[in-house]
Amino acid sequence: MQTTPALDAPETDVAAGAAHPDRATLLRAYRLMQTSAEMARLYEENKAVTAKYVHATARGHEAIQLAAAFQLRETDYCALYYRDDAFMLGLGLQPYELMLQLMAKRDDPFSGGRTYYSHPSLRRPGVPVIPHQSSATGMQAIPATGMAHAVKYLESQQQLPTAAEQPVVLCSIGDGAMTEGEVAEALQMAALHQLPIIYLVQDNEWGISATGREMRSMNAYEFAAGFKGLHRLQCDGADFVDSFATMQAATGYVRQRRGPVLVHAKCPLLGHHTSGVRREWYRGDNLTEHQQNDPLPRFHQQLLTEGFAEGELGYATAAAQATVQEDYQRALAAPNPDPATFAEHEFAPAAVTEEAGERSPQGADKAIMVDAALHAVDDILREFPEALFYGQDVGGELGGVFREAALLAKKYGDARVFNTPIQEAYIVGSTAGMSAVGAKPIVEIQFADYIWPALNQLVEELSKSCYLSVGKFPVQSLIRVPIGAYGGGGPYHSGSIESTLLTIRGIKVVYPSNAADMKGLMRAAFLDPNPVVMLEHKGIYWSKVPGTEDAKTVEPAAGYVIPLGKANVVQEASAEKLAAGDTCVVVTYGMGVYWAKAASKQLPGQVEILDLRTLNPLDWEAVQAATRRHGKVLVLTEEPLMNSFAESLAGRIQRHCFQQLDAPVFTLGAANLPAIALNVELEKQMLPNADKTLAALQELLGY
């Protein structure tokens, strides 16, 4: 084992106190190493069955994985990756349970047959919490660091029942994945905030078919030297005793000093990359070289020198083989999932199902949207000590570039309201880890135009977690995103992105258009146990844009909530015009509400305006009802129209309400261009406005 002290740590090293494993630990490790190897052998021998679904095994990595698993407690947390089946054996899981996932069986304890082998998600007494992780290599580093961030925060607030156990987070990752930019974001935050996490880097010198020489200029141990405050350890990952001492030192360091450690473990790769990418296709002589470092025969010889008898080791081997064979037969016979359950667990059940609280308290002042949002977050932070708020520039003196978090950091402290680096992926992805530990994060992306680096985490880690963990790990995450054009904002501060977000299944998208809705929806979004993106239009934040005065409303009382997925009729048509068949409905949201209001002044009594408020879940019943009332529909959006949510909704209305329509469903949106121009006159030409809306309505009504 090699060790370097943290750059700002005392000279003494926790590693010095690492103890040699006792006989029981050594024998358990040997039995489980044989179990893991037998599983890999059996999968290969029966590949006509086992290769139906792609899988990888720990073959070659068993020593470091078992050594790491043996250090963890049920009060700890870990993020595993797709080659960690030996790790799971070390945590106490049975081969049968892993095989249920291998064969996508109903009783797979992790995902109910929904995701790949060695993709665990587990809450079980006696085992560390293991949240869902995706197959996107390297992506686990950010949610895992979010877990450590939540542990540190909740400990500081005395909100973590297991704080006395000094919990650690272990993030297992391959060296090839260390080249991902998001890994650097995770390491930066772990070092900056001194988070209690171990990054266990299993380095077998291969990606898929690319070697370490092709992929990197340095290994993970060398790379980690650039992060001040990140303690580093190295070990021979094929040697159980060395790995055990190293992982004991790593966990001891984190438990005592509450700071991050990176462990770099060199391992041979003895199996296939996966069952679908086979070693014989590209390994050649390299495989023979790696086989010489097989941890199993090495450990066998070590145990003989420790005084174990061949018969004792042979008995352990036979027991492991018998268990694997028996469990394999049981797994083969286990039932498949019921196809009727395929749609279950898209979302965890909503916490808010009815409007509640005072929307218009007597004597209350009117508020602009940005202040209503600020007050909603203030109420939440005051009421829920597990809540915290972070993002770029939301902490400190500024409180957000739109002053949407003004003075919150001063009021609640830098541990609860704080600035992050320019790391959109970390801001969003860390919420998955936060949620798994029990923190309730509110985060902000500074402008919608800059959300794109976060989409990897939003798609892979947040949106799929509830579904693939069969409801065990919904991600409670409120992501605030200022959006839209507001007069000269230019190409990187004016974009609309809702259609892109709405292609991501498993997230909710909310879009308030006035201060009262902002406050009620903000609280409901926070309380919702699922990922919610709150789109907040900058052009109506302050009601300064002409025609948006109605966005300023009487401010609801603290605690006011509006359930997600409920549209609102903000303007009704007259009964007389409706009876005459001379009306239409504008289905819209955000700024579209105000374009429709302004345009409808020229068509008195003829225009109903349906504000969707939530784009997913969509209030389809309200849309259908409005369509039936009027028979003529305009779907209005600020987005470029082609391939948009608005066009999709128009197509759905056309398909399902065809018999109730008196005219084709009209749509109106921005020009189909890649960006909003800076010049305000060019911007006006590109975007919808009241005049363009009026022209569309007049055509729809037959003028």
Side-chain angles (χ1 to χ4, degrees):
M1 174 178 64
Q2 299 178 36
T3 178
T4 61
L7 299 181
D8 53 355
E11 289 295 323
T12 57
D13 202 305
V14 179
H20 189 78
D22 59 25
R23 284 181 62 85
T25 300
L26 291 170
L27 188 59
R28 180 179 175 227
Y30 183 76
R31 178 175 55 81
L32 291 177
M33 202 178 292
Q34 288 284 8
T35 301
S36 180
E38 177 65 12
M39 289 164 63
R41 187 199 64 76
L42 182 143
Y43 297 167
E44 181 65 12
E45 188 177 89
N46 296 275
K47 57 179 175 285
V49 174
T50 61
K52 180 179 181 180
Y53 302 112
V54 68
H55 62 271
T57 71
R59 197 66 189 91
H61 292 231
E62 301 97 332
I64 184 61
Q65 289 184 19
L66 292 170
F70 286 2
Q71 311 304 320
L72 299 183
R73 307 166 180 167
E74 68 175 334
T75 50
D76 293 328
Y77 302 83
C78 53
L80 304 183
Y81 87 133
Y82 60 81
R83 199 177 297 284
D84 283 346
D85 55 357
F87 200 121
M88 286 186 280
L89 294 175
L91 293 177
L93 290 154
Q94 299 303 306
Y96 174 67
E97 296 178 288
L98 305 186
M99 292 172 185
L100 289 174
Q101 189 172 49
L102 174 79
M103 301 179 198
K105 297 290 190 172
R106 181 193 69 190
D107 297 328
D108 154 27
F110 310 125
S111 74
R114 295 180 176 196
T115 196
Y116 307 110
Y117 180 70
S118 202
H119 285 60
S121 55
L122 196 65
R123 292 187 188 271
R124 177 185 291 178
V127 179
V129 174
I130 311 174
H132 162 265
Q133 300 292 310
S134 77
S135 284
T137 55
M139 297 304 97
Q140 69 268 43
I142 284 178
T145 307
M147 284 193 277
H149 210 145
V151 166
K152 179 169 183 174
Y153 168 70
L154 292 173
E155 284 180 343
S156 74
Q157 303 296 304
Q158 299 181 329
Q159 291 290 316
L160 194 67
T162 60
E165 300 286 339
Q166 298 174 309
V168 304
V169 177
L170 187 142
C171 175
S172 176
I173 193 167
D175 197 76
M178 293 296 292
T179 59
E180 285 276 7
E182 292 183 19
V183 175
E185 292 190 20
L187 297 181
Q188 181 74 254
M189 289 297 282
L192 178 65
H193 289 277
Q194 286 297 286
L195 303 179
I197 185 168
I198 300 166
Y199 300 97
L200 172 56
V201 183
Q202 300 176 54
D203 183 2
N204 59 33
E205 298 183 344
W206 285 92
I208 298 180
S209 65
T211 65
R213 292 188 303 275
E214 297 174 80
M215 294 186 295
R216 64 194 188 214
S217 62
M218 66 193 83
N219 66 31
Y221 182 81
E222 295 162 336
F223 178 61
F227 294 89
K228 183 179 180 180
L230 176 60
H231 189 59
R232 297 181 297 151
L233 299 169
Q234 288 192 104
C235 69
D236 180 352
D239 183 312
F240 176 78
V241 174
D242 187 37
S243 296
F244 188 89
T246 302
M247 294 310 302
Q248 190 178 60
T251 53
Y253 181 94
V254 176
R255 292 198 201 282
Q256 293 176 34
R257 300 190 182 177
R258 313 309 283 150
V261 176
L262 182 139
V263 176
H264 177 239
K266 291 292 294 294
C267 309
L269 177 61
L270 303 182
H272 306 290
H273 169 70
T274 66
S275 56
V277 183
R278 303 184 62 79
R279 62 192 183 187
E280 60 266 23
W281 296 347
Y282 59 92
R283 292 289 296 279
D285 293 340
N286 176 267
L287 180 58
T288 303
E289 177 187 332
H290 276 227
Q291 285 171 334
Q292 294 171 3
N293 199 27
D294 187 335
L296 188 50
R298 287 182 61 182
F299 194 33
H300 186 96
Q301 289 303 314
Q302 280 181 314
L303 293 185
L304 293 177
T305 64
E306 293 267 355
F308 287 85
E310 282 282 8
E312 190 176 12
L313 300 181
Y315 180 81
T317 300
Q321 291 172 344
T323 296
V324 169
Q325 290 291 340
E326 180 183 341
D327 284 5
Y328 178 65
Q329 295 303 321
R330 288 175 61 206
L332 280 174
N336 286 312
D338 180 353
T341 64
F342 80 100
E344 293 177 1
H345 304 293
E346 177 190 7
F347 291 115
V352 176
T353 57
E354 299 291 339
E355 186 174 3
E358 291 186 85
R359 183 178 177 94
S360 302
Q362 189 172 5
D365 293 331
K366 283 192 172 184
I368 56 176
M369 280 183 67
V370 72
D371 285 347
L374 170 64
H375 299 159
V377 174
D378 190 3
D379 292 342
I380 288 166
L381 292 172
R382 182 173 59 253
E383 185 176 347
F384 298 94
E386 67 272 30
L388 62 168
F389 182 35
Y390 56 95
Q392 296 167 29
D393 300 303
V394 302
E397 296 292 330
L398 182 61
V401 295
F402 301 105
R403 304 292 288 156
E404 70 282 6
L407 303 179
L408 290 180
K410 286 184 173 294
K411 189 171 185 178
Y412 295 102
D414 293 338
R416 297 193 69 189
V417 181
F418 58 90
N419 292 326
T420 66
I422 303 172
Q423 293 184 345
E424 287 83 6
Y426 185 86
I427 291 168
V428 170
S430 61
T431 66
M434 291 266 186
S435 177
V437 175
K440 295 181 178 178
I442 305 169
V443 299
E444 182 175 306
I445 299 295
Q446 199 163 80
F447 289 90
D449 307 77
Y450 299 133
I451 200 172
W452 310 116
L455 285 199
N456 206 0
Q457 291 289 330
L458 186 61
V459 172
E460 303 293 355
E461 307 302 334
L462 276 69
S463 73
K464 295 177 172 62
S465 184
C466 186
Y467 183 73
L468 293 181
S469 69
V470 286
K472 293 190 298 296
F473 289 97
V475 176
Q476 183 166 20
S477 173
L478 171 52
I479 304 164
R480 298 181 61 185
V481 184
I483 192 172
Y486 54 107
Y492 298 105
H493 297 81
S494 306
S496 292
I497 62 166
E498 56 266 30
S499 290
T500 298
L501 293 176
L502 290 165
T503 65
I504 304 170
R505 317 307 171 191
I507 69 170
K508 298 185 178 182
V509 180
V510 179
Y511 205 137
S513 67
N514 59 71
D517 285 355
M518 173 73 89
K519 193 166 187 181
L521 291 168
M522 183 76 76
R523 184 177 179 87
F526 170 79
L527 294 172
D528 201 283
N530 303 287
V532 181
V533 179
M534 173 79 79
L535 300 177
E536 305 174 16
H537 199 292
K538 303 183 295 291
I540 50 180
Y541 254 165
W542 300 280
S543 292
K544 290 183 178 179
V545 174
T548 64
E549 295 79 12
D550 287 349
K552 185 176 182 179
T553 69
V554 171
E555 182 171 356
Y560 173 67
V561 287
I562 302 170
L564 306 186
K566 295 293 184 182
N568 183 39
V569 176
V570 298
Q571 178 175 292
E572 295 182 344
S574 72
E576 180 184 356
K577 295 287 186 180
L578 183 62
D582 197 17
T583 62
C584 65
V585 61
V586 180
V587 179
T588 189
Y589 53 92
M591 185 63 86
V593 170
Y594 301 99
W595 294 328
K597 280 188 173 185
S600 66
K601 289 178 181 178
Q602 306 302 313
L603 302 165
Q606 291 184 268
V607 180
E608 176 178 312
I609 302 172
L610 182 67
D611 181 0
L612 292 176
R613 300 198 294 196
T614 303
L615 307 186
N616 188 37
L618 174 70
D619 192 347
W620 176 233
E621 290 185 3
V623 173
Q624 288 179 297
T627 301
R628 287 193 294 268
R629 276 195 298 276
H630 302 284
K632 294 181 281 291
V633 182
L634 168 65
V635 183
L636 175 61
T637 180
E638 186 172 322
E639 282 194 295
L641 197 55
M642 186 180 293
N643 302 322
S644 65
F645 163 70
E647 282 200 335
S648 172
L649 181 56
R652 191 190 304 188
I653 295 168
Q654 199 90 8
R655 164 68 178 82
H656 292 282
C657 304
F658 182 76
Q659 291 183 328
Q660 288 80 43
L661 289 171
D662 298 324
V665 178
F666 279 32
T667 55
L668 178 64
N672 296 309
L673 293 166
I676 303 296
L678 179 63
N679 181 275
V680 291
E681 296 304 320
L682 294 176
E683 179 187 291
K684 288 177 183 177
Q685 290 299 310
M686 299 170 70
L687 294 176
N689 56 32
D691 291 340
K692 294 176 184 178
T693 304
L694 175 60
L697 290 173
Q698 288 174 330
E699 183 182 357
L700 179 61
L701 290 165
Y703 281 77

CSV table of all heavy atoms in Angstrom, one decimal, residues 79 132-133 138-148 169 182 186 197 426 429-434 457 461-462:
chain,number,residue,atom,x,y,z
A,79,ALA,N,-22.2,3.7,-4.0
A,79,ALA,CA,-22.6,3.8,-5.4
A,79,ALA,C,-21.7,2.8,-6.2
A,79,ALA,O,-20.5,3.0,-6.3
A,79,ALA,CB,-22.4,5.2,-6.0
A,132,HIS,N,-30.0,3.7,-6.9
A,132,HIS,CA,-29.9,3.4,-8.3
A,132,HIS,C,-28.7,4.2,-8.9
A,132,HIS,O,-28.5,5.4,-8.7
A,132,HIS,CB,-31.2,3.8,-9.0
A,132,HIS,CG,-31.0,3.9,-10.5
A,132,HIS,ND1,-30.8,5.1,-11.1
A,132,HIS,CD2,-31.1,2.9,-11.5
A,132,HIS,CE1,-30.7,4.8,-12.4
A,132,HIS,NE2,-30.8,3.6,-12.7
A,133,GLN,N,-27.9,3.5,-9.8
A,133,GLN,CA,-26.9,4.1,-10.6
A,133,GLN,C,-27.1,3.7,-12.0
A,133,GLN,O,-27.5,2.5,-12.3
A,133,GLN,CB,-25.5,3.7,-10.1
A,133,GLN,CG,-25.2,4.1,-8.7
A,133,GLN,CD,-25.1,5.6,-8.5
A,133,GLN,OE1,-24.4,6.3,-9.2
A,133,GLN,NE2,-25.8,6.1,-7.5
A,138,GLY,N,-18.9,6.7,-15.1
A,138,GLY,CA,-18.4,8.0,-14.6
A,138,GLY,C,-19.5,8.8,-14.0
A,138,GLY,O,-19.2,9.7,-13.2
A,139,MET,N,-20.7,8.6,-14.4
A,139,MET,CA,-21.8,9.4,-13.9
A,139,MET,C,-22.1,9.2,-12.5
A,139,MET,O,-22.7,10.1,-11.8
A,139,MET,CB,-23.1,9.2,-14.8
A,139,MET,CG,-23.0,9.5,-16.2
A,139,MET,SD,-22.5,11.1,-16.6
A,139,MET,CE,-20.7,10.9,-16.9
A,140,GLN,N,-21.7,8.1,-11.9
A,140,GLN,CA,-22.0,7.8,-10.5
A,140,GLN,C,-21.2,8.7,-9.6
A,140,GLN,O,-21.6,8.9,-8.4
A,140,GLN,CB,-21.7,6.3,-10.1
A,140,GLN,CG,-20.3,5.9,-10.1
A,140,GLN,CD,-19.8,5.4,-11.5
A,140,GLN,OE1,-20.1,5.9,-12.5
A,140,GLN,NE2,-19.0,4.3,-11.5
A,141,ALA,N,-20.2,9.3,-10.0
A,141,ALA,CA,-19.3,10.2,-9.2
A,141,ALA,C,-20.1,11.4,-8.6
A,141,ALA,O,-19.9,11.7,-7.4
A,141,ALA,CB,-18.1,10.6,-9.9
A,142,ILE,N,-21.0,12.0,-9.4
A,142,ILE,CA,-21.7,13.1,-8.9
A,142,ILE,C,-22.8,12.8,-7.9
A,142,ILE,O,-22.8,13.4,-6.8
A,142,ILE,CB,-22.2,14.0,-10.1
A,142,ILE,CG1,-21.0,14.8,-10.7
A,142,ILE,CG2,-23.3,14.9,-9.7
A,142,ILE,CD1,-21.4,15.6,-11.9
A,143,PRO,N,-23.7,11.8,-8.2
A,143,PRO,CA,-24.7,11.5,-7.2
A,143,PRO,C,-24.0,11.0,-5.9
A,143,PRO,O,-24.5,11.3,-4.8
A,143,PRO,CB,-25.5,10.4,-7.9
A,143,PRO,CG,-25.4,10.7,-9.4
A,143,PRO,CD,-24.0,11.2,-9.5
A,144,ALA,N,-22.9,10.2,-6.1
A,144,ALA,CA,-22.3,9.7,-4.8
A,144,ALA,C,-21.7,10.9,-4.0
A,144,ALA,O,-21.8,10.9,-2.8
A,144,ALA,CB,-21.1,8.8,-5.2
A,145,THR,N,-21.2,11.9,-4.7
A,145,THR,CA,-20.6,13.0,-4.0
A,145,THR,C,-21.8,13.8,-3.4
A,145,THR,O,-21.7,14.4,-2.3
A,145,THR,CB,-19.8,13.9,-4.9
A,145,THR,OG1,-18.8,13.1,-5.6
A,145,THR,CG2,-19.1,15.0,-4.2
A,146,GLY,N,-22.9,13.9,-4.1
A,146,GLY,CA,-24.1,14.5,-3.5
A,146,GLY,C,-24.6,13.8,-2.2
A,146,GLY,O,-25.0,14.4,-1.3
A,147,MET,N,-24.4,12.4,-2.2
A,147,MET,CA,-24.7,11.7,-0.9
A,147,MET,C,-23.8,12.2,0.2
A,147,MET,O,-24.3,12.4,1.3
A,147,MET,CB,-24.6,10.2,-1.1
A,147,MET,CG,-25.7,9.5,-1.9
A,147,MET,SD,-25.6,7.7,-1.8
A,147,MET,CE,-24.4,7.3,-3.1
A,148,ALA,N,-22.5,12.3,-0.1
A,148,ALA,CA,-21.6,12.7,0.9
A,148,ALA,C,-21.9,14.2,1.4
A,148,ALA,O,-21.7,14.5,2.5
A,148,ALA,CB,-20.2,12.6,0.4
A,169,VAL,N,-19.4,7.4,2.4
A,169,VAL,CA,-20.0,7.1,1.1
A,169,VAL,C,-18.8,6.5,0.3
A,169,VAL,O,-17.7,7.0,0.3
A,169,VAL,CB,-20.5,8.4,0.4
A,169,VAL,CG1,-21.0,8.0,-1.0
A,169,VAL,CG2,-21.6,9.0,1.2
A,182,GLU,N,-17.3,15.1,-15.7
A,182,GLU,CA,-18.2,15.1,-14.5
A,182,GLU,C,-17.5,14.5,-13.3
A,182,GLU,O,-17.8,14.9,-12.2
A,182,GLU,CB,-19.5,14.4,-14.8
A,182,GLU,CG,-20.3,15.2,-15.9
A,182,GLU,CD,-21.7,14.6,-16.1
A,182,GLU,OE1,-22.2,13.8,-15.3
A,182,GLU,OE2,-22.3,14.9,-17.2
A,186,ALA,N,-17.1,16.3,-9.5
A,186,ALA,CA,-17.3,15.6,-8.3
A,186,ALA,C,-16.1,15.8,-7.3
A,186,ALA,O,-16.2,16.1,-6.1
A,186,ALA,CB,-17.6,14.2,-8.5
A,197,ILE,N,-16.2,10.9,1.7
A,197,ILE,CA,-16.4,10.0,0.6
A,197,ILE,C,-15.1,9.3,0.2
A,197,ILE,O,-14.0,9.9,0.3
A,197,ILE,CB,-17.0,10.7,-0.6
A,197,ILE,CG1,-17.3,9.7,-1.8
A,197,ILE,CG2,-16.1,11.9,-1.1
A,197,ILE,CD1,-18.2,10.3,-2.9
A,426,TYR,N,-23.0,18.9,-11.8
A,426,TYR,CA,-23.0,18.7,-10.3
A,426,TYR,C,-24.3,19.2,-9.7
A,426,TYR,O,-24.9,18.6,-8.8
A,426,TYR,CB,-21.8,19.3,-9.6
A,426,TYR,CG,-21.7,18.9,-8.2
A,426,TYR,CD1,-21.1,17.7,-7.8
A,426,TYR,CD2,-22.3,19.7,-7.2
A,426,TYR,CE1,-21.1,17.3,-6.4
A,426,TYR,CE2,-22.3,19.3,-5.9
A,426,TYR,CZ,-21.7,18.1,-5.5
A,426,TYR,OH,-21.8,17.8,-4.2
A,429,GLY,N,-27.0,16.7,-10.8
A,429,GLY,CA,-26.8,15.3,-10.4
A,429,GLY,C,-26.6,15.1,-8.9
A,429,GLY,O,-27.0,14.0,-8.4
A,430,SER,N,-26.1,16.0,-8.2
A,430,SER,CA,-25.9,15.8,-6.8
A,430,SER,C,-27.2,15.7,-6.1
A,430,SER,O,-27.3,15.1,-5.0
A,430,SER,CB,-25.1,17.0,-6.2
A,430,SER,OG,-25.8,18.3,-6.4
A,431,THR,N,-28.3,16.2,-6.6
A,431,THR,CA,-29.6,16.1,-6.0
A,431,THR,C,-30.1,14.6,-5.8
A,431,THR,O,-30.8,14.3,-4.9
A,431,THR,CB,-30.7,16.9,-6.7
A,431,THR,OG1,-31.0,16.4,-8.0
A,431,THR,CG2,-30.3,18.4,-6.8
A,432,ALA,N,-29.6,13.8,-6.8
A,432,ALA,CA,-30.0,12.4,-6.7
A,432,ALA,C,-29.4,11.8,-5.4
A,432,ALA,O,-30.0,11.0,-4.7
A,432,ALA,CB,-29.5,11.6,-7.9
A,433,GLY,N,-28.1,12.1,-5.1
A,433,GLY,CA,-27.5,11.6,-3.9
A,433,GLY,C,-28.1,12.3,-2.7
A,433,GLY,O,-28.3,11.6,-1.7
A,434,MET,N,-28.3,13.5,-2.7
A,434,MET,CA,-28.9,14.3,-1.6
A,434,MET,C,-30.2,13.6,-1.2
A,434,MET,O,-30.5,13.3,0.0
A,434,MET,CB,-29.2,15.7,-2.0
A,434,MET,CG,-28.0,16.6,-2.2
A,434,MET,SD,-27.6,17.4,-0.7
A,434,MET,CE,-26.2,18.5,-1.2
A,457,GLN,N,-26.9,14.0,-16.3
A,457,GLN,CA,-27.4,13.6,-15.0
A,457,GLN,C,-28.9,13.6,-14.9
A,457,GLN,O,-29.5,12.7,-14.3
A,457,GLN,CB,-26.8,14.6,-13.9
A,457,GLN,CG,-25.3,14.5,-13.8
A,457,GLN,CD,-24.9,13.2,-13.1
A,457,GLN,OE1,-25.6,12.7,-12.3
A,457,GLN,NE2,-23.7,12.8,-13.4
A,461,GLU,N,-29.5,9.7,-14.3
A,461,GLU,CA,-29.5,9.5,-12.9
A,461,GLU,C,-30.8,9.8,-12.2
A,461,GLU,O,-31.3,9.1,-11.3
A,461,GLU,CB,-28.3,10.2,-12.2
A,461,GLU,CG,-26.9,9.9,-12.8
A,461,GLU,CD,-26.6,8.4,-12.8
A,461,GLU,OE1,-27.1,7.7,-12.0
A,461,GLU,OE2,-25.8,8.0,-13.7
A,462,LEU,N,-31.4,11.0,-12.6
A,462,LEU,CA,-32.6,11.4,-11.9
A,462,LEU,C,-33.9,10.8,-12.5
A,462,LEU,O,-34.7,10.2,-11.7
A,462,LEU,CB,-32.7,12.9,-11.9
A,462,LEU,CG,-32.0,13.7,-10.8
A,462,LEU,CD1,-30.5,13.7,-11.1
A,462,LEU,CD2,-32.4,15.2,-10.8
